[in-house]
Amino acid sequence: MNFESTWNPHNPVAQQRREAALARLAQWQALQDRAALASAQSKPVFDKRGQLLPRERVALLLDPGAPFLPLCALAGFMQDTPDPAKSVPGGGMIAGIGFISGVRCMVVASDSGIEAGAIQARGLEKILRVQELAFENKLPFVHLVESAGANLMQYKVEGFVLGGSLFRNLARLSAAGLPVLTVQHGSGTAGGAYMPGLSDTVIMVRGRSRAFLAGPPLLKAATGEVATEEELGGAEMHTSVSGLGEYLCEDDRHALGTARDVVARWDWPAHKTQREAKPPRFDAEELLGLMPAHHREPIDMREVILRLVDDSDFLEFKPLFGAATVCAQARIGGHAVGIISNNGPIDVAGANKATHFIQWMCQLGHPIIYLQNTTGYMVGKDSEQGGMIKHGSKMIQAVTNATVPQITIQCGASFGAGNYGMCGRGYAPRFLFSWPGAKTAVMGGEQAARTMQIVAEAGMARKGITPDPDKMQAQFDKIVALFEAQADAFYTSGLVLDDGVIDPRDTRSVLSFCLDTCADSAARQPRASTFGVARM
């Protein structure tokens, strides 16, 4: 190790930061609980039908005691309603990576306790994202379906058109040799019928499963034909007549047990991804006192690295050159990794150092971890004359074309092109998570407001108009509020601009899980085919 910690977790600044972080974490937990509680309110209805709630289904499907990584839990926050006190996050579904009969799988479940599992706009983006993750990480895709389909009262044509990608991805996964398994707990109507239709294996529940292109109301409206739900698309019909379903089960528990049995019989190759690793020598609790609530307060990100890496041991690369950009080699969960972080804006030297380091990690085959904490690339006459644009562009080129998995944690500020150079969402990191206090924006709210104020005042001066101080201040405050609201980690996560908000204290375990997933993927050679498995 070439860096000694000087941080005192007991100083007043650390305690103040810790209290702010805990308050923010409490808000985050309350949002997650809100979705679970909203779904649980349907329990009497589910009990009457002899069904399990969606979260109960997921719990029974997964291996007891095995790790599970939730994904996009805040999807749709403040998108269903602009009122943060009433918005229910989740996008109408539960998603994450977990183990079924020892097999690492992508698991998605319709949250049918909320609006009968109707697909929400951000819910569509959420499922498309987790399908992408399944494809990238060579994960089988297991879907627990019970959905009322699209909410016709909130119909938007783009949802219908873009929704086709969901089904296209199922065909791509199957063709790539990645099994697609659907447990049909309830209805799948119209486009939703293609969920089982494009699955390799379908499990249905007697008296509950439904799958039809047109339900009885639409059928009558379109053709005048009258038919019962069972005749059109019931479980018994599909498992004995149409052949859409392979297995007919008596209830949810039976169906989930069958799913576990099906997965166990895949004989899916397991790869040893658990590696011996010494824990950090510094307590993860100290991360809460390290990060400031405001990006203007300084933080040495090497202190963060110490609390994430194995044995708190890392080797810093070019520590005296471009010092505001931190590059280091370490291990996390036994995996050799490169780490890039920021102690300030990225200057010319820092951009060149990062470019060199990224290319070196690609040569070594080491995944790269980005710990974002930057206000962007350095601006000013000296930086421009020094070639900041071209040197920053080299860094962005290296990030774009890196040949190793890249994982991003948005810890603090993520402003301007610094978001791009530090592998933001637009640069397709394998995984991206945010800390609750992270901020993402083209620039800080005050900088944006000051810029607009300078432009407005210059325009008035050219016209000989004297600015009204009260109006100018009102405009300034409005712009700051606009930027601050959209920069908030909960808001950006609601837009599915990350894979979820995480507790900083869980960062090491999340990174270890993701690195295990990447290593597992790299070792696996699925049996790809020209087409996915067609239903017979």
Side-chain angles (χ1 to χ4, degrees):
M1 184 180 73
N2 64 344
F3 175 74
E4 295 290 339
S5 176
T6 60
W7 181 253
N8 176 10
H10 304 293
N11 68 43
V13 171
Q15 292 303 308
Q16 185 179 26
R17 290 179 179 178
R18 176 180 170 79
E19 289 174 8
L22 287 172
R24 188 71 171 157
L25 283 168
Q27 295 174 4
W28 168 67
Q29 188 60 57
L31 287 176
Q32 296 187 97
D33 291 344
R34 186 183 298 171
L37 290 170
S39 183
Q41 287 179 358
S42 299
K43 183 170 175 55
V45 176
F46 277 69
D47 288 345
K48 186 177 180 180
R49 298 191 305 220
Q51 289 186 295
L52 298 171
L53 284 168
R55 283 165 179 76
E56 294 173 331
R57 293 169 182 167
V58 172
L60 278 175
L61 178 69
L62 296 171
D63 293 351
F68 178 71
L69 179 64
L71 296 168
C72 307
L74 296 189
F77 177 60
M78 292 183 67
Q79 303 305 304
D80 53 345
T81 172
D83 186 348
K86 295 180 180 179
S87 179
V88 178
M93 66 183 65
I94 303 153
I97 301 173
F99 291 87
I100 303 170
S101 299
V103 178
R104 191 189 301 265
C105 298
M106 179 63 73
V107 178
V108 178
S110 309
D111 196 345
S112 46
I114 300 174
E115 296 183 358
I119 298 173
Q120 302 174 21
R122 298 300 172 184
L124 174 59
E125 292 185 33
K126 176 174 176 174
I127 194 170
L128 293 178
R129 171 57 182 163
V130 300
Q131 285 180 326
E132 179 184 359
L133 285 170
F135 196 84
E136 284 184 321
N137 293 288
K138 302 175 187 174
L139 298 172
F141 189 83
V142 180
H143 198 177
L144 310 184
V145 176
E146 182 174 37
S147 173
N151 187 335
L152 297 182
M153 296 299 292
Q154 298 176 5
Y155 168 76
K156 291 186 178 180
V157 68
E158 63 268 27
F160 154 65
V161 174
L162 298 176
S165 300
L166 187 162
F167 310 124
R168 174 178 180 268
N169 287 339
L170 294 177
R172 291 176 64 228
L173 287 165
S174 181
L178 304 172
V180 179
L181 167 64
T182 288
V183 181
Q184 192 79 26
H185 290 278
S187 293
T189 306
Y194 287 103
M195 285 303 307
L198 287 160
S199 298
D200 303 327
T201 307
V202 176
I203 298 168
M204 292 189 157
V205 179
R206 190 190 305 274
R208 297 305 321 166
S209 298
R210 300 282 188 272
F212 27 56
L213 296 179
L218 178 56
L219 179 68
K220 186 175 181 180
T223 70
E225 184 180 353
V226 176
T228 67
E229 288 191 341
E230 180 58 41
E231 290 171 329
L232 279 176
E236 291 184 57
M237 188 280 287
H238 279 310
T239 53
S240 63
V241 179
S242 79
L244 180 66
E246 276 68 55
Y247 302 99
L248 177 63
C249 298
E250 298 306 316
D251 56 24
D252 284 349
R253 290 180 183 275
H254 185 195
L256 295 165
T258 301
R260 289 181 53 78
D261 193 16
V262 168
V263 173
R265 292 173 191 275
W266 285 342
D267 196 25
W268 192 251
H271 299 283
K272 186 178 183 297
T273 52
Q274 289 292 104
R275 304 174 184 220
E276 291 187 9
K278 293 182 179 179
R281 289 182 282 112
F282 294 86
D283 194 341
E285 285 286 336
E286 295 175 6
L287 291 170
L288 299 185
L290 269 168
M291 287 304 295
H294 198 285
H295 63 84
R296 285 187 174 179
E297 297 178 39
I299 167 68
D300 190 336
M301 292 299 289
R302 292 174 296 181
E303 296 281 4
V304 172
I305 295 171
L306 282 179
R307 289 154 178 84
L308 298 179
V309 302
D310 295 359
D311 199 31
S312 297
D313 177 54
F314 68 85
L315 177 64
E316 190 170 357
F317 177 72
K318 289 181 182 271
L320 303 180
F321 182 80
T325 299
V326 178
C327 299
Q329 289 179 274
R331 287 185 178 273
I332 296 178
H335 297 275
V337 298
I339 300 172
I340 303 178
S341 192
N342 324 100
N343 285 339
I346 304 169
D347 58 16
V348 167
N352 277 295
K353 176 167 75 171
T355 302
H356 182 170
F357 187 72
I358 291 166
Q359 293 176 340
W360 187 30
M361 291 302 100
C362 290
Q363 184 186 69
L364 295 176
H366 294 175
I368 302 171
I369 310 296
Y370 297 85
L371 303 176
Q372 289 192 0
N373 181 49
T374 183
T375 52
Y377 286 96
M378 186 69 78
V379 297
K381 183 174 68 175
D382 290 343
S383 291
E384 298 289 5
Q385 292 180 355
M388 187 71 260
I389 295 173
K390 70 177 183 181
H391 295 300
S393 296
K394 286 191 299 188
M395 181 178 172
I396 290 172
Q397 285 180 324
V399 171
T400 301
N401 297 296
T403 56
V404 295
Q406 300 181 102
I407 302 172
T408 300
I409 307 292
Q410 295 189 175
C411 303
S414 179
F415 292 165
N419 174 276
Y420 304 161
M422 288 294 292
C423 203
R425 188 49 167 262
Y427 287 78
R430 185 73 68 91
F431 294 94
L432 186 152
F433 296 95
S434 300
W435 284 2
K439 301 285 186 183
T440 304
V442 67
M443 64 182 74
E446 292 183 7
Q447 287 75 23
R450 189 67 65 198
T451 299
M452 293 302 297
Q453 186 177 47
I454 291 170
V455 170
E457 289 177 349
M460 291 180 185
R462 287 193 297 270
K463 297 176 181 178
I465 301 172
T466 302
D468 182 323
D470 292 337
K471 288 185 178 179
M472 295 303 293
Q473 186 62 47
Q475 176 181 289
F476 184 93
D477 293 342
K478 183 179 179 180
I479 294 173
V480 170
L482 175 67
F483 270 70
E484 290 298 318
Q486 294 193 53
D488 184 88
F490 297 167
Y491 185 85
T492 55
S493 194
L495 293 171
V496 200
L497 296 179
D498 62 21
D499 296 322
V501 174
I502 61 172
D503 186 326
R505 295 168 294 188
D506 294 334
T507 304
R508 174 178 163 81
S509 61
V510 169
L511 286 173
S512 295
F513 187 95
C514 292
L515 290 166
D516 283 349
T517 302
C518 293
D520 199 19
S521 170
R524 177 170 293 120
Q525 294 297 325
R527 293 179 176 83
S529 62
T530 306
F531 295 95
V533 176
R535 307 207 59 76
M536 299 297 180

